[in-house]
């Protein structure tokens, strides 16, 4: 100010910390040069964010800075940090093997001393960093966020992190057979590459929310016991390895001499020998406790269609979103959910402009004798680009199962940018 008064430095220290949280770690440290009041403020800021070697002149100078700062902030007996993030975004730092080893050491240095830990590497696939084979141990860690990291241990065990409640993996290489955590409540696996040869077993006793957005050619996850699950969002893409090599909607009848690995996924180990998951519910059983479910797929997901044979009753399900995979084989999956969700309140069906399912196949699910959907159902939303024959068939199925046209809303999205969409309630159809 013109008067020379330094009003920012007069702010309480917790307010200064809120400001410094927004800066990368090297900028936070530089604030010690502003004034005498600022000399020690950086030492007590509860967050660290390292943004890569860009602007440092050399990777070694950046690495030395990180080494020293982590030693100061994470090497003593002071209070734990709220968060520590390593965000290496297109700066080339992780291209060198020596720097990958350094990053691994930094993670293990920070792990016991932070409540939230993040590692983001936005580089080419070949530069992804592999997590150490060691088990993770931290009494403080509550949130772990990984992006561009290779996780390739047989079992990733978070039992040594009893406070961990949130795990996020985005654009990672996740070649693991099982995730273990007695405390985890929120799991997010998005745009990750998984194995074609085995499934990830997700059986977590306290998991509340699950988001699994498949990427690449991996297998659908094997969902085990999830007794606390409330919300799930599952998407299987068109390259999913769970596709019948014969193009069958519900899987083929290959015998042991001619196994179709898209339908009858093989897994085994030297002790227990081979197994096939052709007679087990892979995905739907683990979702049976959810109250809010989004289950979408691109093309015909053999694994979901086969699961209908052992479809559980969704006793808590209140909101359900499906896309056009549920219309295959004469609306087999749609009928199955209508009959296995007794307290469903809202159903949403999203239709792409062009159908992506097999229309002429025979469904594996045999409808039950009763033909009435949930008495709790209040609204059915059909979101589509065009009101075509698919919409008309859906309307016939819904009315057949006791749903009145007044309960059905069709939302037609316009193709013209900026023109919005049309909503209307059905009063009849031809």
């Amino acid at each position: 100010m013109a008067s020379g008064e330094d009003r920012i430095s007069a702010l309480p220290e917790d307010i200064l910390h809120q400001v410094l949280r927004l800066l990368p770690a090297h900028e936070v440290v530089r604030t010690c040069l502003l004034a005498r009041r600022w000399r020690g403020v950086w030492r007590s800021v509860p967050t660290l964010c390292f943004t890569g070697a860009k602007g440092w002149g050399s990777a070694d100078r950046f690495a030395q800075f990180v080494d020293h700062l982590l030693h100061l902030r994470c090497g003593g007996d002071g209070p734990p940090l709220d968060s520590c993030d390593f965000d290496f975004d297109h700066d080339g730092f992780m291209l060198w093997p020596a720097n990958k080893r350094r990053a691994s050491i930094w993670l293990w240095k920070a792990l016991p001393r932070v409540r939230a830990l993040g590692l983001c590497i936005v580089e080419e696939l070949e530069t992804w960093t592999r997590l150490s084979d060691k088990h993770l141990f931290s009494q403080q860690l509550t949130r772990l966020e990984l992006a561009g990291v290779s996780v390739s241990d047989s079992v990733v065990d978070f039992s040594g992190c009893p406070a961990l409640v949130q795990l996020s993996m985005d654009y990672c290489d996740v070649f693991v057979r099982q995730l273990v955590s007695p405390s985890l409540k929120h799991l997010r696996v998005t745009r990750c590459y998984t194995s074609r040869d085995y499934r990830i077993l997700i059986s977590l006793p306290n998991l509340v929310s699950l988001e699994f957005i498949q990427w690449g050619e991996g297998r659908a996850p094997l969902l085990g016991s999830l007794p606390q699950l409330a919300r799930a969002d599952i998407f299987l893409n068109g390259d999913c390895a769970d596709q019948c090599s014969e193009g069958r909607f519900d899987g083929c009848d290959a015998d042991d001499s001619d196994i179709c690995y898209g339908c009858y996924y093989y897994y085994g180990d030297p002790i227990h020998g081979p197994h096939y998951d052709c007679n087990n519910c892979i995905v739907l059983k683990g979702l049976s406790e959810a109250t809010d479910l989004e289950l979408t797929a691109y093309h015909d997901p053999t694994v979901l269609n086969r699961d209908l044979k052992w479809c559980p009753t969704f006793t808590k399900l209140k909101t359900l979103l499906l896309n056009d995979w549920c219309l295959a084989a004469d609306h087999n999956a749609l009928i199955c959910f209508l009959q296995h969700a007794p307290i469903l309140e809202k159903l949403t069906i999203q239709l792409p402009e062009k159908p992506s399912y097999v229309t002429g196949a025979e469904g594996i699910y045999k409808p039950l004798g009763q033909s009435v959907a949930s008495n709790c159902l209040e609204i059915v939303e059909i979101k589509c680009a065009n009101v075509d024959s698919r919409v008309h068939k859906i309307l016939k199925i819904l009315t057949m199962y006791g749903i009145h046209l007044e309960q059905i809303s069709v939302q037609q999205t316009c193709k013209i940018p900026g023109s919005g969409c049309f909503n209307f309630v059905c009063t009849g159809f031809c």
Side-chain angles (χ1 to χ4, degrees):
M1 299 181 63
S3 63
E5 181 183 2
D6 183 0
R7 300 179 67 178
I8 294 180
S9 296
L11 293 171
E13 189 162 290
D14 59 339
I15 301 298
L16 296 182
H17 286 168
Q18 291 297 322
V19 175
L20 296 181
R21 281 174 180 265
L22 305 176
L23 301 177
H26 62 279
E27 296 287 357
V28 173
V29 174
R30 287 174 181 171
T31 61
C32 69
L33 302 175
L34 294 175
R36 181 177 299 178
R37 168 75 169 85
W38 291 82
R39 287 180 181 176
V41 175
W42 65 273
R43 292 178 178 270
S44 56
V45 176
T47 61
L48 291 175
C49 180
F50 301 101
T51 55
K54 185 176 181 180
W56 280 83
S58 72
D60 285 339
R61 289 184 62 190
F62 169 71
Q64 290 173 7
F65 168 74
V66 178
D67 287 337
H68 290 311
L69 189 55
L70 286 179
H71 177 73
L72 287 172
R73 300 303 310 274
C74 300
D77 297 326
L81 295 170
D82 287 345
S83 66
C84 181
D85 293 292
F86 299 90
D87 189 358
F88 304 136
D89 185 358
H90 293 300
D91 66 352
F93 179 77
M94 298 300 292
L95 291 173
W96 303 98
N99 292 336
K100 294 181 183 180
R101 291 191 292 271
R102 282 170 166 167
S104 181
I105 293 172
W106 294 337
L107 286 175
W108 296 110
K109 183 77 171 180
L111 181 64
R113 305 293 303 157
V114 300
R115 296 187 179 93
L117 180 62
L119 174 60
C120 176
I121 305 169
V122 185
E123 299 285 358
E124 295 298 324
L125 179 64
E126 294 79 8
T127 69
W128 289 5
T129 294
R130 186 176 185 275
L131 286 186
S132 170
D133 290 324
K134 300 177 183 178
H135 291 300
L136 296 118
F137 291 97
S138 174
Q139 298 296 315
Q140 313 292 340
L141 190 66
T142 62
R143 186 176 80 248
L144 177 61
E145 297 181 355
L146 304 174
V149 176
S150 177
V151 185
S152 54
D153 299 333
S154 178
V155 177
V156 178
D157 191 350
F158 294 102
S159 299
C161 303
L164 183 66
V165 295
Q166 183 175 339
L167 171 62
S168 175
M169 292 183 285
D170 182 53
Y171 198 54
C172 289
D173 198 358
V174 187
F175 286 84
V176 303
R177 294 180 182 270
Q178 185 176 3
L179 293 175
V180 176
S181 173
S183 60
L184 196 65
K185 293 185 177 182
H186 308 284
L187 174 61
R188 183 174 181 265
V189 182
T190 58
R191 303 186 300 172
C192 292
Y193 290 84
T194 57
S195 175
R196 290 178 56 89
D197 300 322
Y198 50 82
R199 304 188 189 281
I200 303 174
L201 173 59
I202 301 176
S203 184
L204 303 168
N206 286 298
L207 195 69
V208 175
S209 68
L210 170 63
E211 183 179 1
F212 190 96
I213 309 300
Q214 191 183 50
W215 204 256
E217 300 179 349
R219 297 276 178 181
L222 173 58
L223 301 185
S225 176
L226 303 171
Q228 303 300 320
L229 189 66
R231 187 185 188 283
D233 182 358
I234 309 293
F235 171 75
L236 303 181
N237 73 358
D239 294 324
C240 175
D242 294 295
Q243 301 287 343
C244 178
S245 60
E246 302 295 328
R248 289 283 301 273
F249 162 77
D250 56 350
C252 59
D253 298 322
D255 55 28
D256 290 344
S257 63
D258 186 25
I259 291 296
C260 171
Y261 288 95
C263 299
Y264 299 98
Y265 148 72
Y266 164 89
Y267 64 99
D269 58 69
I271 298 177
H272 300 97
H275 303 276
Y276 299 93
D277 66 8
C278 58
N279 294 316
N280 296 286
C281 195
I282 304 302
V283 177
L284 294 184
K285 184 177 181 180
L287 302 173
S288 60
E289 299 296 327
T291 58
D292 185 6
L293 175 61
E294 295 185 17
L295 190 57
T296 55
Y298 187 75
H299 290 304
D300 290 317
T302 302
V303 64
L304 294 182
N305 294 320
R306 196 174 59 235
D307 269 7
L308 298 177
K309 185 176 181 179
W310 303 281
C311 186
T313 300
F314 295 83
T315 57
K316 302 177 183 178
L317 190 62
K318 293 186 177 181
T319 63
L320 173 65
L321 184 148
L322 303 169
N323 68 343
D324 66 333
W325 78 269
C326 74
L327 308 183
D330 202 16
H331 307 77
N332 201 234
L334 176 59
I335 295 172
C336 181
F337 276 102
L338 288 175
Q339 294 192 328
H340 287 79
I343 65 169
L344 187 66
E345 296 178 356
K346 180 180 179 181
L347 171 64
T348 301
I349 303 173
Q350 292 182 338
L351 302 179
E353 186 173 354
K354 296 181 179 180
S356 61
Y357 55 88
V358 178
T359 57
E362 181 181 353
I364 197 170
Y365 172 69
K366 305 304 179 184
L368 303 174
Q370 62 91 11
S371 60
V372 178
S374 166
N375 292 327
C376 302
L377 193 61
E378 298 175 357
I379 185 171
V380 177
E381 290 183 347
I382 303 174
K383 298 182 179 181
C384 59
N386 301 298
V387 180
D388 53 20
S389 60
R390 293 174 299 168
V391 176
H392 286 255
K393 290 180 180 179
I394 293 173
L395 295 177
K396 289 182 179 180
I397 290 292
L398 295 177
T399 55
M400 184 185 304
Y401 282 84
I403 301 171
H404 300 293
L405 290 175
E406 293 79 10
Q407 298 172 265
I408 304 172
S409 172
V410 179
Q411 184 181 100
Q412 183 179 6
T413 304
C414 292
K415 299 179 182 179
I416 303 175
S419 59
C421 60
F422 297 103
N423 292 278
F424 53 92
V425 175
C426 298
T427 57
F429 61 90
C430 299

